[in-house]
Amino acid sequence: ILTGSLPQERGGNNSFTHEALTLKYKLDNQFELVFVVGFQKILTLTYVDKLIDDVHKEFRDKYRNEFQQKGALGLLNGTFDFKDDFMRLLRDAEESSKVRAPTVMKTFEQSLKSQKTVKCMIETRGEKPKEKVKNKKNKGSKKDGTEAVAAPSKASAGDKQLSAAGDKEELTKDEILQKNREEFFRRHMKAGEKSRSPKPDTQKEKGKKPRVWDLGNSNAKVLDYSNSATNGSAEAGPVEEFDPDMALGDKNREPGRLYDLEYESDDEAEEEKVVQNPSKPSVKKGGLGGMFGMLKGLVGSKSLTREDMDPVLEKMKDHLIAKNVAAEIAVQLCESVAKKLEGKVMGTFTTVTSTVKQALQEALVQILQPQRRVDVLRDVMDAQRHRRPYVVTFCGVNGVGKSTNLAKISFWLIENGFSVLIAACDTFRAGAVEQLRTHTRRLNALHPPESHGGRTMVQLYEKGYGKDAAGIAMEAISYARNQGFDVVLVDTAGRMQDNAPLMTALAKLIAVNAPDLVLFVGEALVGNEAVDQLVKFNKALADHSMAQTPRLIDGIVLTKFDTIDDKVGAAISMTYITSKPIVFVGTGQTYCDLRSLNAKAVVAALMKA
């Protein structure tokens, strides 16, 4: 009986009636269980649904571990004690149904309808309903409660006079309207005279007073924490409790390893079939869908011309722009593909679609793999042999995640056995130093000195706010050299590429301290803005540098990559402009969410239709 009724639950019916009995059931698909309760059909039990829900939750939570180890059949074939729990849940369900008393319907005498008379429901011609007039008067006289009560009574009196006059003699429609207008103006003139109140003797003071917040403090010195912290110390501030598992994320990872960026393309299983007959165009839809649809007919032994490819290149450009590639770069990419394919003779068994797709993929992979590869670990070990710290400077616009990804890179370096000194050179943004101090405490909690032979693996060097960033960076590098730190990570303030004074200060910091690596931090969400940012950052570093060979951006940190799905065009735009590699990719909120760029994975996401 029950087996035949189970499919009915998809339609919302989870009960079955057989003769004088009613069965209600609930399915647990996770552990393959069925909970059934039976009762007589004539009984109206309001607590059945609550009972079956409570029993399901209690039973599943109590025997969850046994289910995972033995399975449902293994547990049910054995012995288990659930009788006491069931009786307790049954009593609770019965008590809950008794608490709510059934609602009793009102009698006619108790209702408002019984208080109405036939006379109040009769409407005389030309007379407005009393309730509507009362509502209008209440809306117009909210400021004074006494006048609001008096006005409706006068209105009703006037209406009664009009109705009485209408009973004595028949009035025309125009006469009724005229009388209503006169009565209306007469009432409002009297109400206005009564509602006038004398002006208060004391006038309000003109001018706006500053707001004083309850939790605020007018003394700015109380909020200045610059002098309370010791420079180069990791112990500044109280110890903060946090969950290490939440900070680390993946527990199965290999410590110190920088994993490649992964992306699985759905198009790999839809590779095109080779066209055997050159006279018939291919009609099978390939992996790129409509982007290459117009190239399907161009097969056989013929040379490609620009006229043949122009419509397809237009769709290719739109596809790249939709994937967040900057418009200017999308046009240049299409031009390079067109020049590469123009005049090329196609083989008899080769489709134009596959040829164009292969040419575009090769161009994109070549863009994402510049000639110079940045190997940070190798360079750090080389600096160790020369007994000097390896210096990395982070720069970029506001809000892209410089400090957060600096902390991720610090964690990666610590797991590879290198000690890190963080230089807090963002002396402008409120909370910048405190943010780095929090990261320092957490990193030291994850890698305490006891695990590294008593050596503190990460420290913060800061001088507070409003100081010269270039001077702080120079002092931090000198401190790291004296204390034997392996790496110095310099955090700078975010700045827009159009702000000339701030760009000059950044160029000064880089020119004076000569870091080993200058990383531009950019977010994967940008489109055309990526080109403007990188071009102006490089131009500012070149213009404001005093050296003959100015120091420009060496690499890119691409952040917020987990927020863009397959719109990965910012990676193409940034590497195309600078010809510099993407060294790190930020993919999440934990310290382990740091990846190295996989060019093939990015191209697969970019080519996805």
Side-chain angles (χ1 to χ4, degrees):
I1 295 173
L2 182 61
T3 306
S5 68
L6 286 180
Q8 297 180 6
E9 191 182 16
R10 293 186 179 180
N13 183 17
N14 63 339
S15 63
F16 179 80
T17 302
H18 178 69
E19 294 180 356
L21 295 178
T22 298
L23 299 179
K24 282 198 173 185
Y25 61 89
K26 184 173 184 180
L27 302 179
D28 189 321
N29 296 323
Q30 181 180 1
F31 298 116
E32 299 180 350
L33 297 174
V34 183
F35 296 85
V36 186
V37 58
F39 53 94
Q40 293 184 3
K41 185 172 63 174
I42 61 173
L43 298 178
T44 305
L45 302 180
T46 59
Y47 60 83
V48 172
D49 293 331
K50 173 177 170 51
L51 175 64
I52 199 169
D53 289 339
D54 293 344
V55 171
H56 167 235
K57 185 176 183 301
E58 184 83 14
F59 188 82
R60 183 190 59 188
D61 294 345
K62 184 173 182 179
Y63 298 104
R64 180 184 296 272
N65 295 332
E66 287 81 352
F67 284 138
Q68 294 174 349
Q69 295 173 2
K70 303 177 184 179
L73 292 178
L75 176 66
L76 298 178
N77 289 334
T79 58
F80 56 90
D81 184 15
F82 193 70
K83 183 177 180 181
D84 296 337
D85 296 326
F86 174 76
M87 296 305 297
R88 174 176 54 82
L89 294 175
L90 178 60
R91 286 193 300 270
D92 294 343
E94 290 176 346
E95 290 296 328
S96 65
S97 64
K98 295 178 182 178
V99 172
R100 291 176 292 181
T103 57
V104 181
M105 294 182 62
K106 292 182 179 180
T107 62
F108 178 75
E109 289 74 13
Q110 295 174 341
S111 64
L112 296 175
K113 191 173 182 180
S114 64
Q115 301 175 8
K116 293 184 178 180
T117 61
V118 178
K119 184 178 180 180
C120 70
M121 289 186 279
I122 297 175
E123 294 185 7
T124 308
R125 183 181 177 184
E127 180 184 5
K128 295 183 181 179
K130 297 180 180 181
E131 293 183 359
K132 294 183 180 179
V133 175
K134 184 177 180 180
N135 290 338
K136 288 183 179 179
K137 296 305 294 180
N138 286 338
K139 290 181 182 177
S141 57
K142 287 183 179 179
K143 293 183 180 179
D144 196 340
T146 56
E147 270 73 5
V149 176
S153 62
K154 292 183 179 181
S156 60
D159 290 340
K160 289 180 181 177
Q161 292 175 2
L162 285 176
S163 61
D167 292 335
K168 291 179 181 179
E169 55 178 344
E170 287 292 333
L171 297 176
T172 63
K173 189 176 182 180
D174 295 336
E175 291 175 344
I176 293 174
L177 290 175
Q178 184 64 26
K179 285 189 175 184
N180 288 341
R181 291 194 187 108
E182 293 176 357
E183 185 67 21
F184 176 80
F185 287 117
R186 183 177 60 81
R187 288 199 308 267
H188 277 268
M189 288 296 292
K190 291 182 178 180
E193 293 175 359
K194 292 182 180 180
S195 61
R196 288 176 185 173
S197 58
K199 294 183 180 180
D201 297 334
T202 58
Q203 296 289 338
K204 268 190 174 181
E205 295 183 5
K206 294 183 179 180
K208 185 177 179 181
K209 291 184 178 181
R211 174 173 292 185
V212 179
W213 298 98
D214 295 336
L215 301 178
N217 196 314
S218 59
N219 189 3
K221 293 183 179 180
V222 179
L223 303 176
D224 187 8
Y225 294 91
S226 303
N227 298 325
S228 61
T230 56
N231 295 326
S233 173
E235 303 299 329
V239 178
E240 182 177 353
E241 296 182 359
F242 72 102
D243 187 5
D245 295 336
M246 185 180 296
L248 293 177
D250 187 10
K251 298 179 182 179
N252 300 323
R253 63 185 180 81
E254 182 182 342
R257 179 180 174 184
L258 191 64
Y259 289 88
D260 288 339
L261 193 67
E262 295 180 357
Y263 179 82
E264 294 182 1
S265 175
D266 298 334
D267 303 329
E268 294 177 1
E270 299 181 6
E271 291 295 329
E272 300 170 315
K273 293 182 180 180
V274 177
V275 178
Q276 300 295 335
N277 188 357
S279 62
K280 296 180 180 180
S282 173
V283 295
K284 175 174 170 51
K285 186 175 181 181
L288 292 180
M291 191 173 100
F292 296 100
M294 301 186 69
L295 283 174
K296 296 291 186 181
L298 303 178
V299 295
S301 300
K302 63 170 292 186
S303 59
L304 292 177
T305 62
R306 190 59 182 263
E307 289 75 16
D308 296 331
M309 292 184 292
D310 275 344
V312 182
L313 293 174
E314 185 67 24
K315 289 187 175 293
M316 183 191 300
K317 182 191 72 173
D318 294 340
H319 176 81
L320 294 174
I321 293 175
K323 294 286 186 174
N324 257 4
V325 178
E328 177 186 350
I329 295 173
V331 172
Q332 295 178 12
L333 277 172
C334 293
E335 288 292 329
S336 64
V337 171
K339 290 179 181 179
K340 186 176 182 179
L341 295 180
E342 190 174 4
K344 184 175 182 180
V345 178
M346 307 301 300
T348 305
F349 302 104
T350 306
T351 63
V352 176
T353 302
S354 60
T355 304
V356 173
K357 180 179 178 180
Q358 186 65 28
L360 180 62
Q361 286 179 338
E362 291 175 358
L364 293 174
V365 171
Q366 189 175 4
I367 290 172
L368 291 173
Q369 292 179 340
Q371 297 178 355
R372 181 178 180 269
R373 176 179 173 83
V374 177
D375 191 339
V376 176
L377 298 181
R378 182 196 60 192
D379 295 341
V380 171
M381 289 187 288
D382 183 66
Q384 276 184 330
R385 287 192 291 269
H386 292 83
R387 296 186 178 181
R388 65 174 184 83
Y390 184 78
V391 183
V392 182
T393 299
F394 295 83
C395 62
V397 300
N398 307 78
V400 294
K402 291 184 295 298
S403 301
T404 302
N405 285 272
L406 180 146
K408 294 180 184 180
I409 295 171
S410 301
F411 178 77
W412 173 67
L413 291 170
I414 294 169
E415 289 208 326
N416 281 278
F418 300 113
S419 58
V420 179
L421 179 68
I422 300 176
C425 295
D426 184 355
T427 62
F428 177 76
R429 177 172 64 91
V433 177
E434 286 75 17
Q435 180 183 3
L436 293 177
R437 188 177 297 144
T438 301
H439 281 305
T440 304
R441 288 200 304 266
R442 292 193 170 189
L443 291 171
N444 276 317
L446 294 172
H447 288 276
E450 295 80 17
S451 302
H452 298 273
R455 183 185 184 190
T456 302
M457 297 304 291
V458 57
Q459 292 186 12
L460 175 66
Y461 189 94
E462 55 99 355
K463 288 284 189 179
Y465 297 97
K467 311 296 192 303
D468 180 35
I472 296 176
M474 180 180 293
E475 294 177 11
I477 295 171
S478 175
Y479 180 85
R481 185 181 294 108
N482 296 333
Q483 298 295 324
F485 283 93
D486 300 320
V487 183
V488 178
L489 302 181
V490 180
D491 184 33
T492 62
R495 64 204 75 211
M496 295 305 295
Q497 62 271 19
D498 297 320
N499 194 322
L502 293 181
M503 295 305 298
T504 304
L506 177 64
K508 173 189 173 185
L509 185 148
I510 294 175
V512 169
N513 295 285
D516 298 281
L517 185 65
V518 179
L519 293 179
F520 175 83
V521 184
E523 58 184 8
L525 300 171
V526 296
N528 294 328
E529 186 71 9
V531 178
D532 190 54
Q533 289 175 5
L534 281 163
V535 167
K536 291 188 176 179
F537 261 81
N538 263 337
K539 185 176 183 300
L541 294 179
D543 293 345
H544 301 294
S545 177
M546 296 172 287
Q548 293 182 351
T549 56
R551 185 65 182 279
L552 304 180
I553 294 172
D554 299 318
I556 299 168
V557 179
L558 193 60
T559 66
K560 306 179 186 178
F561 204 80
D562 55 318
T563 64
I564 58 171
D565 193 24
D566 59 350
K567 293 179 172 56
V568 296
I572 301 293
S573 302
M574 292 182 179
T575 51
Y576 189 90
I577 287 296
T578 60
S579 299
K580 301 297 182 182
I582 296 178
V583 186
F584 300 104
V585 179
T587 59
Q589 299 295 323
T590 67
Y591 289 131
C592 297
D593 291 328
L594 193 69
R595 300 287 184 270
S596 62
L597 185 74
N598 185 351
K600 292 183 179 179
V602 175
V603 172
L606 192 65
M607 299 293 285
K608 181 181 177 182

